Amino acid sequence: MTEKAATPMLLLHPSRGLIDEKFCLIVQNLSQIQDITLHALIHSDDGDYWEAFGHYVSDATGLVNVANDSSLGGTYDGVEPMGLLWSMRPVPGSRIGLRLRKKEVHTPMVVHISVYRGHMSQGFREQVALASVVTERWYMAPGVRRVDITEGGVTGTLFLPPGPGPFPALLDLWGGGGGLVEYRSALLSSHGFVCLALEYMTPRTSGGSTSHVGNEYFEAAFTVLKQHPQVCGDRIAILGLSFGTSVALGMAVYSTVIQPRCLVCVSGSHVQPVKGSLSDVFSEINKNVRNTRYDEENRVIWRDLLLPIPTDPNKKVDVGQLKCPVLMIVGEDDQNWPATESAEDMKQMMEKAGNSHLLTTLSYPGAGHLIEPPYSPHIRASNFMVAGTKQKLVVLWGGETAPHGHAQEDSWKKILSFLEEHLYRSTDVTSPSNL
């Protein structure tokens, strides 16, 4: 009597974890040297489907271990333990210009992972999987609390780690797209930091006129954090992405109220009018709108709006006055903002001023503008609505999938280490010995 073949099994651990936590994925009970395809599928909060897949061959024992085995093709190649997440892309036939972002942070990102016979690249829904498993990926760890903030005229969301505290804190600033974006703050709070996700790009209407918030708005937000009973008032950092970097640098240098313990600046620039408000910054940028370029698919390239980096000291933040450590993160294929040129100019300014020991720059070849928490899909271009004018565009962010994914993983580890060093352990943050 012929022994019945064992049913293939898909083993994943942990089945529930934070979005930045690696998982282990193994396929067992396959035939020897069997071609298979591993496929991951997400249904986003926006109602779109995203997928990734890799082609594998089982070993002589009928096993595939994604942590050790190479993908021979698909949306990623080589030994990539988390390739099924960072190489995700919209399924064929999806809307144009999508970006995968978690809107409801109190629910997980649910990922369906299946194994199929043979090397497939399409038609997954029409095939029966050999085995399937579901994993939950969370931005909010158990016990993290989410609190809406409206006090002092400030609009944002506060995330508090489990426990009584007090904790170090971060002011989290996103870029020019506006809105209230919470998922990065939720994840940082899951790592032990009070985090305020601040909405600041939405123009305010007052007395019949519409304008951007003034610098006092950021000072009010910083004060909300500083005065919170669960926050260590002298251990507050600012994290800025893109335009958020401009705000972080300007406030750290020129505000008498905002005195951050350290700064994390992702894909940003110091080019802006000295002591300028948001309105001043946009007014200066609009003078160079003629420098806007478009690629062959008519996607907007904005990086030239700030180039060449000005030599006039009145047109850029005097980073030589910075008194706190700064971590600059740069994607060398950033097509949206001149992050590489800005970081180099900042280095030269700080060397001349004698405070370059405060600057750490991480520069990633092949990475684009949108450097997100690890294992987030690489978004080379996406729809964008200009805050204020509501003009809809498709913006080219840049980057290539694999190097961008690696940059996200590496930079996130170093961001957490930097924050832990300067918010938890460091006593004298201006000392070179503490960097």
Side-chain angles (χ1 to χ4, degrees):
M1 184 174 179
T2 304
E3 184 178 343
K4 184 178 179 181
T7 302
M9 291 182 60
L10 195 52
L11 307 177
L12 185 146
H13 178 80
S15 59
R16 186 181 192 271
L18 288 177
I19 202 79
D20 59 355
E21 185 178 357
K22 280 189 175 182
F23 55 54
C24 178
L25 183 61
I26 295 174
V27 189
Q28 292 181 335
N29 299 341
L30 296 167
S31 301
Q32 295 181 7
I33 320 301
Q34 179 178 348
D35 291 350
I36 64 162
T37 300
L38 281 166
H39 179 260
L41 185 70
I42 286 176
H43 191 206
S44 75
D45 288 349
D46 291 320
D48 300 293
Y49 286 95
W50 293 68
E51 69 175 0
F53 54 91
H55 298 156
Y56 291 88
V57 178
S58 64
D59 64 15
T61 68
L63 183 79
V64 168
N65 185 339
V66 174
N68 302 322
D69 297 338
S70 290
S71 169
L72 305 179
T75 55
Y76 62 98
D77 298 306
V79 179
E80 297 289 356
M82 303 302 291
L84 282 171
L85 294 186
W86 56 250
S87 72
M88 280 207 162
R89 62 192 188 188
V91 300
S94 296
R95 296 179 293 149
I96 300 298
L98 296 179
R99 182 176 174 186
L100 184 61
R101 307 179 87 181
K102 195 79 179 76
K103 292 184 175 179
E104 305 295 338
V105 295
H106 60 280
T107 63
M109 189 86 79
V110 179
V111 187
H112 297 263
I113 300 177
S114 302
V115 57
Y116 293 91
R117 191 184 309 276
H119 287 166
M120 300 174 55
S121 298
Q122 58 185 355
F124 293 98
R125 292 187 180 184
E126 287 74 46
Q127 299 297 318
V128 177
L130 297 175
S132 297
V133 68
V134 175
T135 177
E136 293 184 354
R137 310 286 293 172
W138 290 82
Y139 284 95
M140 282 181 68
V144 171
R145 288 171 292 151
R146 178 190 177 280
V147 181
D148 292 324
I149 295 294
T150 55
E151 61 185 89
V154 172
T155 302
T157 306
L158 189 69
F159 291 90
L160 299 159
F167 304 99
L170 288 105
L171 182 61
D172 189 9
L173 305 173
W174 285 82
L180 182 55
V181 184
E182 299 182 351
Y183 57 90
R184 185 171 63 191
S185 289
L187 185 57
L188 286 164
S189 190
S190 299
H191 285 281
F193 304 98
V194 172
C195 208
L196 176 57
L198 185 67
E199 181 178 3
Y200 70 95
M201 287 298 297
T202 304
R204 267 50 174 181
T205 300
S206 177
S209 64
T210 301
S211 64
H212 294 283
V213 298
N215 291 340
E216 66 278 1
Y217 180 79
F218 301 103
E219 295 177 339
F222 193 88
T223 301
V224 167
L225 274 177
K226 187 174 182 178
Q227 295 180 348
H228 194 281
Q230 288 183 268
V231 169
C232 300
D234 62 342
R235 292 177 179 266
I236 302 175
I238 306 177
L239 169 59
L241 169 73
S242 189
F243 201 85
T245 286
S246 302
V247 175
L249 291 170
M251 292 295 99
V253 171
Y254 300 119
S255 172
T256 58
V257 174
I258 296 177
Q259 297 180 336
R261 193 67 175 255
C262 61
L263 302 177
V264 177
C265 299
V266 184
S267 303
S269 177
H270 63 316
V271 177
Q272 58 179 293
V274 167
K275 299 182 181 180
S277 65
L278 285 187
S279 294
D280 295 330
V281 175
F282 278 116
S283 177
E284 191 69 22
I285 291 173
N286 287 338
K287 293 179 182 178
N288 295 327
V289 70
R290 64 186 181 280
N291 293 338
T292 300
R293 290 188 288 121
Y294 299 86
D295 73 351
E296 64 281 357
E297 297 181 40
N298 205 37
R299 298 177 296 191
V300 178
I301 300 172
W302 273 328
R303 70 183 321 276
D304 293 347
L305 295 186
L306 300 183
L307 292 177
I309 301 295
T311 56
D312 184 349
N314 292 314
K315 292 187 177 181
K316 51 190 178 183
V317 175
D318 185 4
V319 292
Q321 295 186 44
L322 280 169
K323 296 179 174 62
C324 68
V326 181
L327 179 63
M328 291 288 296
I329 296 170
V330 173
E332 294 181 13
D333 190 41
D334 190 334
Q335 297 298 312
N336 183 249
W337 227 225
T340 298
E341 294 90 339
S342 296
E344 180 58 35
D345 191 65
M346 285 179 58
K347 178 184 176 183
Q348 294 176 12
M349 292 175 68
M350 294 177 74
E351 285 176 346
K352 185 176 181 179
N355 65 340
S356 61
H357 64 279
L358 296 174
L359 177 65
T360 300
T361 301
L362 304 177
S363 187
Y364 295 99
H369 185 73
L370 296 179
I371 299 177
E372 300 251 40
Y375 319 131
S376 303
H378 164 237
I379 307 299
R380 182 166 174 80
S382 71
N383 298 324
F384 184 86
M385 182 178 290
V386 180
T389 67
K390 303 300 182 184
Q391 182 184 8
K392 294 181 180 180
L393 307 165
V394 176
V395 171
L396 183 66
W397 307 112
E400 300 297 332
T401 300
H404 189 92
H406 297 153
Q408 291 186 151
E409 182 175 4
D410 185 74
S411 63
W412 184 253
K413 291 177 182 176
K414 290 173 179 173
I415 287 172
L416 293 179
S417 295
F418 180 83
L419 293 173
E420 182 178 347
E421 171 68 23
H422 297 295
L423 295 183
Y424 269 106
R425 295 201 300 266
S426 180
T427 54
D428 178 10
V429 297
T430 62
S431 172
S433 63
N434 282 317
L435 297 180

